[in-house]
Amino acid sequence: MKYDLVLVRFGEITIKGRNRNRFEAMLLTQIKQALIAMPALEYVRGYARAYIHLNGESYEQVAARLKDIFGIFTFSPVISSTQELETIRERSLELMRSLNPAPKTFKVSVKRGWKQYPHDSVEMNHLVGAHVLRNTPDLKVDVRSPEAELKIDIQHENTYIYCEVVKGAGGFPLGMNGKAMLLLSGGIDSPVAGWMAMRKGLKVEAVHFHSYPFTSEEAKEKVITLAKRLAYYSGKIKLHLVPFTELQTKLAQSGHDSLIITLMRRSMLKITEKLAQQSGALAIVTGDSLGQVASQTLGSMNVIGRSASLPMLRPLVMMDKQDIIGYAERIGTFQTSILPFEDCCTLFVPKSPATNPDLKLVERIEAHLGDEFERLIEEAVQGTEVLVLREDGGLEVDGERKEEDAWF
């Protein structure tokens, strides 16, 4: 079937009250940016929806991109018609005949946005349905559970006919709810947490801690690849690569083996908060899932989270691992996440890490480390390397564009 246009329905942003216009305008801008490689497309913004006129462009290519744009609730491939009854009936029959596989049952659902149309919705259901039945002998009507629902939307300017409703990513347009820093490891969870944060309208900057030479260049490149995948959803993403070797070594030498993970993660939050201040971010996103490892018990999350004053956002905290894996597969990060390269979180792991650490003891250890602890944190911040990964796979380092092959 050669479709004329795509009907895009907005999601949660339709309940934004006086801010709704701003949200819808941003979403349409982001849709245009995502489809910029197809210049023939034309866009018309309607009430709680948008129409994308294909003008010969591939519906399949447009649909593949629309599925991943945050803020879109659903969309449908549409054939258009004039308001004449016979034209609507012929176009409806044309669409029903094109469905593959051919349905055995159907029903017609007519909606009249243009109330002056001479036939009401019930009449139109019969007028169109009877025409389709007469010309499709094997088809029957089933109003309760049809295999296909022929939807006809009669508006003042045009009539839109479609059967398929495709689910979008949902959420809010990217960046409309502010900016947050994402702790991005090489594992399965944190990229999913980043995707979920972006889905709720947050612009995200990723922060990765590496302990070269204890961690390899492959581990670093693995994280860059994950960030690159997240950039597909956001247009581009900034990745902060934090040197963690000296600070991590110092913590490992503190003589408190069971608390190393707690101390390490508190240090990461302190560093991330300083980077957030530089970037104007107002929250920290983590891939924590309650009870998954020792650092993600309620007691550990309490002690670790108290090292930062910014709000801690944990999108995965109540999810099962299998559900998280399902999301990782869906957003295209799973195969990279399972590559067997160690990151700094797997170094110096004690045999019996604390699952319910004592906050006062942890604070005393940090105080005992004194000025050197603060110096190492500041040096880690100052030594951070910043990459900007673009949707097209390109790379910028400190604002300067570099060739992709130099890094991937």
Side-chain angles (χ1 to χ4, degrees), residues 312-333:
M312 298 291 297
L313 305 181
R314 300 178 172 97
L316 316 183
V317 71
M318 295 299 178
M319 292 177 62
D320 292 340
K321 189 68 177 184
Q322 199 57 44
D323 294 332
I324 298 170
I325 289 173
Y327 272 103
E329 290 173 335
R330 173 184 167 187
I331 67 175
T333 57

Side-chain angles (χ1 to χ4, degrees), residues 207-211 239-251 264 266-276 278 344 371-386:
V207 182
H208 177 71
F209 295 83
H210 64 88
S211 290
L239 173 61
H240 302 260
L241 293 166
V242 183
F244 201 54
T245 310
E246 286 194 48
L247 182 52
Q248 190 172 16
T249 304
K250 183 68 179 177
L251 295 174
M264 186 177 69
R266 281 173 59 91
S267 301
M268 288 178 172
L269 290 184
K270 290 175 186 291
I271 293 167
T272 301
E273 194 159 63
K274 288 179 179 291
L275 296 174
Q278 297 174 1
C344 66
D371 293 341
E372 188 175 9
F373 182 54
E374 297 300 328
R375 177 183 64 79
L376 290 172
I377 285 181
E378 191 58 37
E379 284 182 359
V381 173
Q382 296 303 322
T384 296
E385 179 185 14
V386 180

Side-chain angles (χ1 to χ4, degrees), residues 113-172:
W114 180 34
K115 300 302 181 186
Q116 287 71 42
Y117 192 71
H119 303 285
D120 65 26
S121 298
V122 176
E123 284 181 277
M124 284 299 292
N125 286 343
H126 289 291
L127 289 169
V128 176
H131 181 72
V132 172
L133 280 174
R134 279 196 299 273
N135 292 279
T136 318
D138 296 333
L139 197 60
K140 296 180 180 179
V141 172
D142 182 347
V143 296
R144 295 183 182 276
S145 184
E147 292 183 17
E149 183 173 2
L150 177 62
K151 296 175 181 289
I152 301 172
D153 183 0
I154 302 174
Q155 298 290 333
H156 183 266
E157 75 286 353
N158 214 339
T159 298
Y160 306 102
I161 305 169
Y162 58 94
C163 288
E164 187 179 3
V165 177
V166 182
K167 189 176 181 181
F172 294 108

Side-chain angles (χ1 to χ4, degrees), residues 60-99:
E60 287 74 19
Q61 291 183 19
V62 171
R65 200 66 188 87
L66 289 179
K67 287 178 181 176
D68 295 322
I69 297 176
F70 303 120
I72 293 178
F73 180 52
T74 60
F75 62 89
S76 296
V78 171
I79 59 172
S80 59
S81 167
T82 62
Q83 316 296 38
E84 285 82 19
L85 174 61
E86 285 309 312
T87 305
I88 293 174
R89 296 167 92 179
E90 286 305 315
R91 294 289 276 166
S92 297
L93 178 61
E94 182 184 346
L95 177 58
M96 289 300 299
R97 283 174 168 170
S98 73
L99 297 180

Side-chain angles (χ1 to χ4, degrees), residues 130-328:
H131 181 72
V132 172
L133 280 174
R134 279 196 299 273
N135 292 279
T136 318
D138 296 333
L139 197 60
K140 296 180 180 179
V141 172
D142 182 347
V143 296
R144 295 183 182 276
S145 184
E147 292 183 17
E149 183 173 2
L150 177 62
K151 296 175 181 289
I152 301 172
D153 183 0
I154 302 174
Q155 298 290 333
H156 183 266
E157 75 286 353
N158 214 339
T159 298
Y160 306 102
I161 305 169
Y162 58 94
C163 288
E164 187 179 3
V165 177
V166 182
K167 189 176 181 181
F172 294 108
L174 187 76
M176 292 302 287
N177 284 329
K179 184 194 288 186
M181 308 301 284
L182 165 69
L183 295 186
L184 183 65
S185 70
I188 295 170
D189 300 345
S190 57
V192 176
W195 180 86
M196 287 188 166
M198 292 192 291
R199 181 176 180 267
K200 293 303 286 182
L202 286 172
K203 183 178 180 181
V204 164
E205 292 189 12
V207 182
H208 177 71
F209 295 83
H210 64 88
S211 290
Y212 185 81
F214 299 119
T215 56
S216 64
E217 279 296 316
E218 286 89 349
K220 179 179 172 183
E221 290 178 2
K222 173 184 174 183
V223 170
I224 292 174
T225 302
L226 289 172
K228 178 182 173 185
R229 182 57 188 169
L230 292 178
Y232 167 76
Y233 297 98
S234 61
K236 64 180 180 180
I237 192 168
K238 187 176 286 188
L239 173 61
H240 302 260
L241 293 166
V242 183
F244 201 54
T245 310
E246 286 194 48
L247 182 52
Q248 190 172 16
T249 304
K250 183 68 179 177
L251 295 174
Q253 294 170 346
S254 67
H256 298 275
D257 286 355
S258 66
L259 291 172
I260 286 176
I261 301 298
T262 304
L263 292 164
M264 186 177 69
R265 290 194 176 275
R266 281 173 59 91
S267 301
M268 288 178 172
L269 290 184
K270 290 175 186 291
I271 293 167
T272 301
E273 194 159 63
K274 288 179 179 291
L275 296 174
Q277 290 171 356
Q278 297 174 1
S279 298
L282 299 178
I284 298 174
V285 179
T286 76
D288 291 338
S289 178
L290 185 61
Q292 192 174 119
V293 294
S295 63
Q296 295 172 14
T297 63
L298 192 58
S300 289
M301 286 196 288
N302 174 43
V303 172
I304 292 168
R306 284 172 183 256
S307 63
S309 59
L310 288 176
M312 298 291 297
L313 305 181
R314 300 178 172 97
L316 316 183
V317 71
M318 295 299 178
M319 292 177 62
D320 292 340
K321 189 68 177 184
Q322 199 57 44
D323 294 332
I324 298 170
I325 289 173
Y327 272 103

Side-chain angles (χ1 to χ4, degrees), residues 4-15:
D4 300 317
L5 56 93
V6 182
L7 168 58
V8 178
R9 303 174 190 84
F10 302 154
E12 264 188 274
I13 62 177
T14 59
I15 59 172

